[in-house]
Amino acid sequence: MDETTVRGLLADALTDEPPMGAVTQHALRAGLRIRRRRRLLAAGGTVAALAAVGLSLTIAGPASGHPALPALGPAEHTVYAVDESGGTITPVTPGRGTLGRPIRTGRDVVASAFSPDGKTFYAVSFATGKLTPVDVSAGAAGRSIKVGRGAGAIAITPDGRTAYVANEFSGTVTPVDLAHGTAEPPIRAGAMPRAIVITPDGRTAYVLNQATDNPRRGSVTPVTIATGRPGRPILVGRNPLSMAITPDGKTLLVANNGVGGPGGRPTDDASVTPIAIATNTAGKPIPTGRPYTGSFAFTPDSRTAYLPVFYSDTVITIKLATMTIGKPIRVGASVSAVAITPDGKTAYVVSRGSVTPVDTATGTAGKPIRVPGPALSIVVSPDGRTVYVGSYRPGKLITIPTAANRVSRIVQVGKTGPITVAVGP
């Protein structure tokens, strides 16, 4: 039984009348947790032949990928190491990689984001369905806010006033008034919402729905932020699992994983769907030929998108001007994530036991940097001087100065869970 089936059963368990018993619901939730752990291990190359549906990792930069307000200079930034299993976040000394005092935010921290001014860090707990704010300067957690069942994704408006949290089991998105710390009435936004992004102008939130009435199609639901009303769903491909807005704010890209076999075997319906934000219309799907893709990374000039392919040694490139597949880049086995430097010159690709720098101008892979693995998450600091990598079992934070492209520090953060690296302004 794959994860999509389990999630469907749990959704039924939570909504049926009369509802399924607590024991059944508990068993289904436990099954989801096990599958999430197995999926992370599989991406690290230690487990094969799993029907994975994407990593439960969120790489948090300035909220929703929007430019930060001028609170900190370009050389100043805040770093947190997020221990998903332990339910803690730990401040990290920028550049040095030394750890501060852990802050408890709730079990299964599966999503996180900084406020645009960099003063507050928000952590979403899948297990409790709560959003917890953390005061960056004080290093203390505030009062948690109840959002919904299966909370698993967050986006914050560019003005920093409202957070939107996608609740996978409820089929809703919960707006949160951040100034008052209160949840507003949830918005019905399609079945199984897995991700959410907000346009740079703050007008629209896009919600990714893994399930629709058509088993071969997923959808994206636009929500008008001013009114809180969902619009007509935009149909995309089968099993959509990640999406992102291009840096120029014109296009939403949706990665459709289709249905593939063990080891990332090619599939006919794996694709990327481009959606024109001005008209909310889907363009012609871009065939990728490979399922199990991860999260998008973009060059700052909006020319190229990078999409890692789990279970493989390949990163797919997409030429955004023509919406066509470019030359694939081969690096180490079991690719899991990509991060690009602010100047757009280098892409760093995480694979099973290494981080490989790639020259974006030529698509040439450089010498791999060995790291303890499996490594899973990666971000580049806003000043471009440091790469931070999170690994799994035990969870470790790895610091790599970009000037040397060598590991300078490794510190243990968690015991068994994945470490997500979050960098804000």
Side-chain angles (χ1 to χ4, degrees), residues 104-196:
R104 186 160 295 280
T105 59
R107 294 179 294 114
D108 284 340
V109 181
V110 295
S112 54
F114 278 94
S115 59
D117 61 9
K119 294 181 179 180
T120 310
F121 183 72
Y122 294 92
V124 177
S125 168
F126 177 87
T128 65
K130 292 181 178 181
L131 175 66
T132 300
V134 175
D135 186 312
V136 169
S137 61
R143 182 179 62 85
S144 296
I145 306 160
K146 187 69 175 179
V147 285
R149 295 172 296 191
I154 181 175
I156 299 176
T157 54
D159 60 13
R161 295 180 180 179
T162 310
Y164 288 82
V165 180
N167 309 305
E168 191 167 348
F169 299 154
S170 305
T172 61
V173 171
T174 300
V176 179
D177 183 331
L178 297 180
H180 299 92
T182 55
E184 299 177 354
I187 302 167
R188 287 284 174 187
M192 298 178 68
R194 288 184 58 90
I196 183 168

Side-chain angles (χ1 to χ4, degrees), residues 17-78:
E17 294 293 342
M20 296 185 189
V23 173
T24 301
Q25 294 185 28
H26 174 76
L28 291 170
R29 283 196 176 98
L32 283 175
R33 287 194 294 270
I34 291 170
R35 279 161 175 78
R36 190 162 66 246
R37 298 289 181 258
R38 286 179 177 173
R39 192 165 65 242
L40 289 164
L41 286 171
T46 56
V47 175
L50 296 177
V53 294
L55 292 176
S56 58
L57 291 174
T58 299
I59 309 302
S64 303
H66 304 308
L69 298 179
L72 300 173
E76 301 175 277
H77 57 275
T78 303

Side-chain angles (χ1 to χ4, degrees), residues 65-111:
H66 304 308
L69 298 179
L72 300 173
E76 301 175 277
H77 57 275
T78 303
V79 184
Y80 279 113
V82 182
D83 181 356
E84 179 184 321
S85 296
T88 62
I89 64 171
T90 303
V92 181
T93 303
R96 295 174 57 191
T98 53
L99 303 180
R101 180 180 60 85
I103 303 166
R104 186 160 295 280
T105 59
R107 294 179 294 114
D108 284 340
V109 181
V110 295

Side-chain angles (χ1 to χ4, degrees), residues 17-358:
E17 294 293 342
M20 296 185 189
V23 173
T24 301
Q25 294 185 28
H26 174 76
L28 291 170
R29 283 196 176 98
L32 283 175
R33 287 194 294 270
I34 291 170
R35 279 161 175 78
R36 190 162 66 246
R37 298 289 181 258
R38 286 179 177 173
R39 192 165 65 242
L40 289 164
L41 286 171
T46 56
V47 175
L50 296 177
V53 294
L55 292 176
S56 58
L57 291 174
T58 299
I59 309 302
S64 303
H66 304 308
L69 298 179
L72 300 173
E76 301 175 277
H77 57 275
T78 303
V79 184
Y80 279 113
V82 182
D83 181 356
E84 179 184 321
S85 296
T88 62
I89 64 171
T90 303
V92 181
T93 303
R96 295 174 57 191
T98 53
L99 303 180
R101 180 180 60 85
I103 303 166
R104 186 160 295 280
T105 59
R107 294 179 294 114
D108 284 340
V109 181
V110 295
S112 54
F114 278 94
S115 59
D117 61 9
K119 294 181 179 180
T120 310
F121 183 72
Y122 294 92
V124 177
S125 168
F126 177 87
T128 65
K130 292 181 178 181
L131 175 66
T132 300
V134 175
D135 186 312
V136 169
S137 61
R143 182 179 62 85
S144 296
I145 306 160
K146 187 69 175 179
V147 285
R149 295 172 296 191
I154 181 175
I156 299 176
T157 54
D159 60 13
R161 295 180 180 179
T162 310
Y164 288 82
V165 180
N167 309 305
E168 191 167 348
F169 299 154
S170 305
T172 61
V173 171
T174 300
V176 179
D177 183 331
L178 297 180
H180 299 92
T182 55
E184 299 177 354
I187 302 167
R188 287 284 174 187
M192 298 178 68
R194 288 184 58 90
I196 183 168
V197 295
I198 295 175
T199 54
D201 61 12
R203 294 181 179 181
T204 307
Y206 288 98
V207 182
L208 183 64
N209 308 121
Q210 188 178 354
T212 67
D213 293 337
N214 185 338
R216 297 185 63 86
R217 305 291 292 271
S219 68
V220 173
T221 301
V223 176
T224 301
I225 288 178
T227 63
R229 294 179 180 176
R232 182 178 181 181
I234 306 164
L235 291 180
V236 292
R238 181 189 289 189
N239 197 16
L241 295 173
S242 65
M243 64 178 177
I245 296 174
T246 55
D248 60 13
K250 296 179 179 180
T251 308
L252 174 68
L253 294 184
V254 181
N256 310 300
N257 280 252
V259 176
R265 288 200 301 264
T267 178
D268 291 337
D269 53 2
S271 64
V272 170
T273 301
I275 296 174
I277 288 176
T279 60
N280 279 342
T281 55
K284 182 180 179 180
I286 307 165
T288 61
R290 301 298 294 266
Y292 308 143
T293 51
S295 297
F296 292 97
F298 299 101
T299 53
D301 59 11
S302 285
R303 290 185 179 181
T304 309
Y306 291 77
L307 191 59
V309 181
F310 305 140
Y311 306 109
S312 80
D313 62 354
T314 302
V315 175
I316 294 171
T317 61
I318 301 173
K319 299 176 182 179
L320 297 178
T322 58
M323 291 298 170
T324 56
I325 296 292
K327 180 181 178 181
I329 301 169
R330 297 192 182 280
V331 292
S334 296
V335 172
S336 60
V338 181
I340 298 176
T341 55
D343 61 12
K345 294 182 178 180
T346 308
Y348 285 88
V349 183
V350 173
S351 54
R352 180 184 302 171
S354 65
V355 174
T356 302
V358 175

